[in-house]
Amino acid sequence: MDHERVVRDVTVRLPMASTAVEACQWTVTALARHTSATVSVLLQVHDRLRCVAATGAWQVFATVPPKSGIVGRVYASGAGATVADVTADPDYLPVRPDVTAEICVPVLDPAGRPIGVLDLQWSEPVGLEPWRATAERLAGRLGARIVAFGGPPAESRSEKLLRHATAMTSAPTDWDLMAAAITAAREVSALSAAVLVLDDRHGPRLGAPTCALGELESRVRAELTEAGPGPLGQMVARAHRHGAAYTLGEAGRSPTEEYEPLVRAGVRTLVSVPLGPPDSGGLLLVADERLLRPDPTTVNLMELLAGQAWGALDRLRTLAQLREQASSDPLTGLRHTGPFGQRIRAATPGRTALLAIDVDGFKTVNDTYGHQAGDRLLVGLARALEGALRQGDELYRIGGDEFVAVLEVSRPEEAVGIAERLAEAARRTGRTISVGIALPRVGEPAELTLRRADEALYAVKRHGRDGVRLAAA
């Protein structure tokens, strides 16, 4: 094999390429004339190695994580690899079942930083060392040509949007979702600031900041906060009534009244996109202090982003509602047995008080006036008991007319005082309750603590009801 001829054939073609991708494709095509190897060039695009040129193979890995496979290892280390037996290398990515050997060398920029890799794989015996030297020479020439074109091809804006859409879809919380949406809006639009306006029962409000704010974004948030809900409501209403809007980056043009806070913040370029439905949605504002000209494609991408963000937010809210319904009593809205079991298992000996509560004479109400009357009694009593508890105290409904309150107290007498307050609250509704109190002992299972509270409750029942009793320590 005349390796000098191989180098010449590739080198002659490189100056004729008009793009970085074309330079890679011509390199692969020229190499394929001299070797039966499967040849590929992978370049860094965002956080992955992307195959931009390759000869025929049953499987081509379109994108590879930076440290995955032999190609990822070479890229991450900046050092080439000669693998005489791929079956002995745990990092080998199977491209063809008959491959026996692989040479992979980094494609470097003039400063020696990896920007990609050149990879060759053979299925028959070959002199690997001469090919390693040739591959390194060609990778050096290819790297210089790619840098002359400005580096590896950047992600398209559509690709960026799809990548961020995945992040939004998998966001576990509203906060994570908003962070992903704002980051996506900045990156896809190439504008410097993004703000979400969300509607709630008190009117439109700014979404919470999700990361370190840039200077413009800080000013925008400050001005909109000072302006109050009026301009925010007008911007949201305008967007939902007339659709997305954008500026042309022309100096000396007066904005409509609701945008004045943005102008005071220094905004000169703006894209405004409705978010969600008119009655419960909001607004995505993407801005810059430079005079720019966003094109309709940018606006369209922001609309797609807003739609994806709202869909993900609606999913999170629906899941939260389902979780709340699953852990709440449908009649009273109180938490029920599932969360209660988790809570008492975390009880602190001597500090967590369990108050077992039973409604006196509840069966008589059901038998005399019917179950609807009984349900109304339980709902009213639940509200009264909740109102008598302190901040942080918890109330559960664990049976028909059985409730349990969980309190953190400094001494048993404190729990007794709160239990008496609950009894008084019940009396104000026209009913009475019996309350048994127990504090967990060291090493005592939570179920046994609750049983002692129940025994104290039934002692109250035996002594005339409408009272409070503390179980023995």
Side-chain angles (χ1 to χ4, degrees):
M1 172 61 64
D2 184 350
H3 285 274
E4 289 299 326
R5 182 182 174 190
V6 176
V7 173
R8 282 197 308 272
D9 280 0
V10 175
T11 304
V12 166
R13 286 182 169 273
L14 280 176
M16 295 185 285
S18 58
T19 66
V21 171
E22 197 171 80
C24 296
Q25 291 170 340
W26 283 7
T27 298
V28 167
T29 301
L31 272 171
R33 292 195 180 98
H34 298 279
T35 179
S36 61
T38 296
V39 186
S40 60
V41 175
L42 295 90
L43 298 181
Q44 180 192 11
V45 179
H46 187 59
D47 60 349
R48 287 179 171 257
L49 291 173
R50 175 168 296 171
C51 184
V52 296
T55 56
W58 173 252
Q59 178 170 247
V60 175
F61 291 95
T63 58
V64 177
K67 295 184 180 180
S68 178
I70 295 171
V71 293
R73 188 176 76 206
V74 167
Y75 173 78
S77 66
T82 300
V83 182
D85 180 7
V86 296
T87 63
D89 194 313
D91 290 334
Y92 176 66
L93 296 176
V95 171
R96 284 167 37 190
D98 55 346
V99 168
T100 57
E102 180 174 0
I103 289 174
C104 185
V105 296
V107 176
L108 306 173
D109 66 13
R113 293 184 296 262
I115 57 175
V117 296
L118 171 62
D119 188 69
L120 296 92
Q121 301 185 30
W122 285 270
S123 57
E124 70 278 334
V126 66
L128 293 177
E129 287 311 309
W131 272 111
R132 167 77 176 263
T134 297
E136 288 175 343
R137 291 172 67 186
L138 294 178
R141 287 166 170 75
L142 178 59
R145 190 62 178 150
I146 290 171
V147 170
F149 288 120
E155 276 186 305
S156 70
R157 292 194 294 175
S158 297
E159 289 171 328
K160 290 178 182 178
L161 180 60
L162 288 172
R163 173 166 52 81
H164 286 293
T166 301
M168 288 188 290
T169 301
S170 59
T173 67
D174 287 11
W175 190 93
D176 293 305
L177 171 60
M178 288 190 287
I182 287 173
T183 299
R186 292 196 199 107
E187 188 174 336
V188 175
S189 71
L191 303 181
S192 63
V195 174
L196 283 169
V197 179
L198 301 173
D199 194 22
D200 62 20
R201 57 188 176 186
H202 303 297
R205 59 177 176 83
L206 290 176
T210 57
C211 55
L213 301 179
E215 186 178 340
L216 176 61
E217 198 164 303
S218 296
R219 295 199 303 267
V220 166
R221 295 184 67 87
E223 288 289 347
L224 290 176
T225 300
E226 184 177 343
L232 282 179
Q234 290 175 342
M235 281 188 274
V236 172
R238 174 185 286 270
H240 282 280
R241 185 180 306 116
H242 303 298
Y246 63 104
T247 62
L248 289 176
E250 294 180 354
R253 305 295 182 183
S254 300
T256 51
E257 180 182 359
E258 65 269 23
Y259 291 129
E260 286 291 349
L262 298 177
V263 174
R264 289 195 297 271
V267 170
R268 297 295 177 268
T269 302
L270 177 70
V271 177
S272 169
V273 177
L275 182 73
D279 56 342
S280 60
L283 181 67
L284 171 63
L285 297 173
V286 193
D288 206 290
E289 55 192 345
R290 297 168 293 173
L291 283 171
L292 304 173
R293 295 181 68 86
D295 53 43
T297 299
T298 300
V299 181
N300 183 44
L301 290 172
M302 291 300 97
E303 288 182 293
L304 292 172
L305 171 62
Q308 185 70 33
W310 181 260
L313 180 61
D314 190 51
R315 176 185 63 84
L316 284 176
R317 290 175 173 176
T318 300
L319 288 174
Q321 289 173 353
L322 290 173
R323 282 193 292 268
E324 181 66 26
Q325 290 169 4
S327 63
S328 299
D329 167 41
L331 176 64
T332 63
L334 299 177
R335 283 165 285 195
H336 58 43
T337 50
F340 173 65
Q342 298 170 11
R343 176 65 182 88
I344 63 172
R345 281 192 289 273
T348 304
R351 299 296 301 272
T352 305
L354 301 185
L355 278 59
I357 304 165
D358 190 84
V359 183
D360 297 330
F362 180 71
K363 185 177 183 300
T364 302
V365 174
N366 270 347
D367 292 345
T368 305
Y369 302 105
H371 289 284
Q372 288 186 339
D375 288 349
R376 287 195 298 270
L377 184 158
L378 290 173
V379 171
L381 189 60
R383 299 290 83 79
L385 297 179
E386 281 185 306
L389 290 171
R390 306 166 304 175
Q391 182 88 22
D393 293 340
E394 298 172 82
L395 183 64
Y396 299 84
R397 183 188 178 203
I398 62 171
D401 63 336
E402 299 172 6
F403 300 84
V404 175
V406 183
L407 324 173
E408 294 299 322
V409 296
S410 56
R411 60 190 190 284
E413 293 76 17
E414 186 179 350
V416 173
I418 295 170
E420 289 174 343
R421 199 161 71 196
L422 294 176
E424 179 57 34
R427 293 183 197 109
R428 288 196 293 269
T429 70
R431 305 302 308 180
T432 63
I433 58 174
S434 298
V435 184
I437 309 164
L439 278 71
R441 299 163 178 161
V442 175
E444 180 181 51
E447 292 75 11
L448 184 53
T449 308
L450 183 58
R451 186 185 306 166
R452 290 195 296 111
D454 277 334
E455 289 171 354
L457 181 151
Y458 287 112
V460 174
K461 293 278 192 186
R462 289 193 299 271
H463 289 81
R465 302 184 178 126
D466 187 17
V468 170
R469 177 172 293 233
L470 176 65

